[in-house]
Amino acid sequence: MEYSPIQVRNTNEITHGFNDFTSQNTPEHSLHNPSNYQSTHSRHSHDQESAVSDSESFSSGVSYNQSPSFNDGLIRLFEGDRVHDLIKQRFVSGLGLLGKKATVVAIHRNTYSGVLEQARMQSFQIIAKAMEKKCGGDANVKFGWYGGTRDEICEIMKHGFSARMIDNSNGLYGSGIYLSPDDSPVECVKKLNVGKDGLRHMLLCRVILGKAEVVHPGSDQYHPSSDEFDSGMDNLSSPKKYIVWSAHMNTHILPEYVISFSAPSSLKGYFRIPESLRKPTSPWMPFPSLISALSKFLPPTTTKLIITYYRAHRVSNRIRFIAGTSI
């Protein structure tokens, strides 16, 4: 089955789950009626608990008692549930070579059962409606992955994102929360370490992007460059990073699912670029011409950094050549 990128195009009728992949009979949840949203979650939770009482183990081979536990307010989805199976297939297919070695152990869904959780969900809906009006009818709401430790994910689900989770100097794309598009979970998996439970954990979040702008490597940006923009991306046509600025991290991101999975402790070698893709396909041009072309859209600091690395590389090659001829 071929999958297209997940996108929520209409914030008036948000389907809970991957609405582009579910059938016409999937329940829809109005932005203006969170009580209906909650009651549907409660019914689903009861169904899932009934399924647990029938069997202690499932097709995934993982005992229910061994599944990772999280804060109250999360319910587990099981094999055979439409949303569970879609998330699992989407996640595994986005891991590339690692997908064959990864096993999804559990998927939990946020029920927004507490008063504060309900408030966060309603706030997200209000912001989405406002963004829809600002952007001419499309708030550009998409799904994005966020990776973290079990403790970090529990903290996010209970309290929201915190300042220490903001990517800055090591992220190179400005100061904000970085998420990966739904078809690129591998970008987040690269940074994850195995937890004490032997698992890695990911959040699948709904993200309000509005009108995104390109953020270049080396940027120290921490808010939209103008009122025209609302978020950032590393590439508008094929993004690998969604950048939600720190001021918006708890209003424009809604955590919906927690995916727990096992994979080899060392991931080295699973993210290698195939040889066929390593060969350059663009036309050759002199370095000064390349810099002239890049300077038209890269910030000066990034252009200077490229020139510095280029000169250092040439000096290094000269030293090797001299050392080789003198032997």
Side-chain angles (χ1 to χ4, degrees):
M1 181 176 180
E2 186 175 352
Y3 286 81
S4 59
I6 301 166
Q7 182 176 7
V8 182
R9 296 181 178 84
N10 184 356
T11 56
N12 289 318
E13 295 292 341
I14 288 183
T15 301
H16 188 74
F18 288 6
N19 63 334
D20 285 357
F21 305 147
T22 52
S23 69
Q24 297 295 326
N25 297 324
T26 303
E28 293 184 339
H29 306 278
S30 170
L31 284 170
H32 302 287
N33 196 347
S35 60
N36 289 341
Y37 187 86
Q38 177 59 31
S39 63
T40 304
H41 277 73
S42 298
R43 289 196 302 270
H44 198 103
S45 177
H46 177 74
D47 293 341
Q48 295 296 340
E49 289 171 357
S50 298
V52 174
S53 63
D54 292 338
S55 176
E56 288 283 322
S57 61
F58 302 88
S59 57
S60 63
V62 179
S63 166
Y64 176 75
N65 293 329
Q66 295 174 348
S67 66
S69 59
F70 292 94
N71 297 335
D72 294 339
L74 293 182
I75 62 169
R76 188 180 175 189
L77 305 180
F78 298 103
E79 298 278 353
D81 177 275
R82 182 186 293 112
V83 175
H84 173 284
D85 294 348
L86 288 169
I87 293 175
K88 177 180 177 180
Q89 187 167 355
R90 188 66 165 171
F91 175 71
V92 172
S93 65
L95 293 180
L97 295 175
L98 181 60
K100 296 180 180 180
K101 299 292 184 179
T103 300
V104 174
V105 174
I107 298 177
H108 289 81
R109 185 178 65 188
N110 194 352
T111 62
Y112 311 102
S113 57
V115 175
L116 293 179
E117 288 77 9
Q118 279 277 310
R120 290 191 192 102
M121 186 257 291
Q122 292 176 23
S123 174
F124 182 88
Q125 294 171 335
I126 292 170
I127 295 294
K129 286 294 292 182
M131 189 66 71
E132 187 179 89
K133 293 180 180 179
K134 176 182 181 291
C135 296
D138 184 3
N140 197 14
V141 181
K142 296 188 178 182
F143 283 94
W145 297 101
Y146 181 85
T149 66
R150 180 191 174 281
D151 290 343
E152 286 173 340
I153 285 177
C154 287
E155 180 182 339
I156 291 169
M157 299 301 278
K158 187 173 183 179
H159 303 293
F161 291 91
S162 64
R164 65 184 180 82
M165 298 172 186
I166 296 172
D167 285 296
N168 38 51
S169 59
N170 61 344
L172 299 180
Y173 287 90
S175 180
I177 298 295
Y178 298 173
L179 301 99
S180 297
D182 65 273
D183 62 349
S184 300
V186 68
E187 295 300 315
C188 287
V189 172
K190 291 176 182 179
K191 301 178 181 180
L192 294 180
N193 295 318
V194 180
K196 295 179 181 179
D197 54 4
L199 302 176
R200 294 175 171 90
H201 305 281
M202 300 268 284
L203 276 176
L204 183 60
C205 307
R206 204 180 292 266
V207 188
I208 301 171
L209 294 173
K211 185 172 183 179
E213 62 182 309
V214 174
V215 180
H216 299 289
S219 171
D220 57 359
Q221 190 171 340
Y222 57 92
H223 58 67
S225 61
S226 72
D227 291 340
E228 179 185 0
F229 301 109
D230 308 290
S231 63
M233 292 183 185
D234 60 333
N235 186 306
L236 295 181
S237 59
S238 56
K240 296 300 181 185
K241 292 182 186 295
Y242 295 152
I243 302 145
V244 177
W245 306 118
S246 55
H248 299 155
M249 62 185 179
N250 286 314
T251 56
H252 290 50
I253 305 175
L254 185 68
E256 292 210 64
Y257 300 95
V258 179
I259 292 81
S260 304
F261 67 100
S262 63
S265 56
S266 175
L267 302 181
K268 187 177 181 180
Y270 287 103
F271 308 125
R272 287 180 298 185
I273 301 174
E275 188 67 31
S276 59
L277 298 179
R278 295 181 187 179
K279 299 176 182 179
T281 57
S282 58
W284 181 90
M285 66 171 66
F287 184 75
S289 300
L290 176 63
I291 287 296
S292 177
L294 292 177
S295 64
K296 294 178 181 179
F297 58 88
L298 288 180
T301 53
T302 304
T303 305
K304 290 179 181 178
L305 191 62
I306 293 173
I307 294 173
T308 300
Y309 285 148
Y310 172 74
R311 289 173 177 170
H313 179 69
R314 292 193 63 181
V315 169
S316 177
N317 283 344
R318 286 185 188 138
I319 293 174
R320 291 195 189 98
F321 176 78
I322 294 171
T325 56
S326 61
I327 294 176

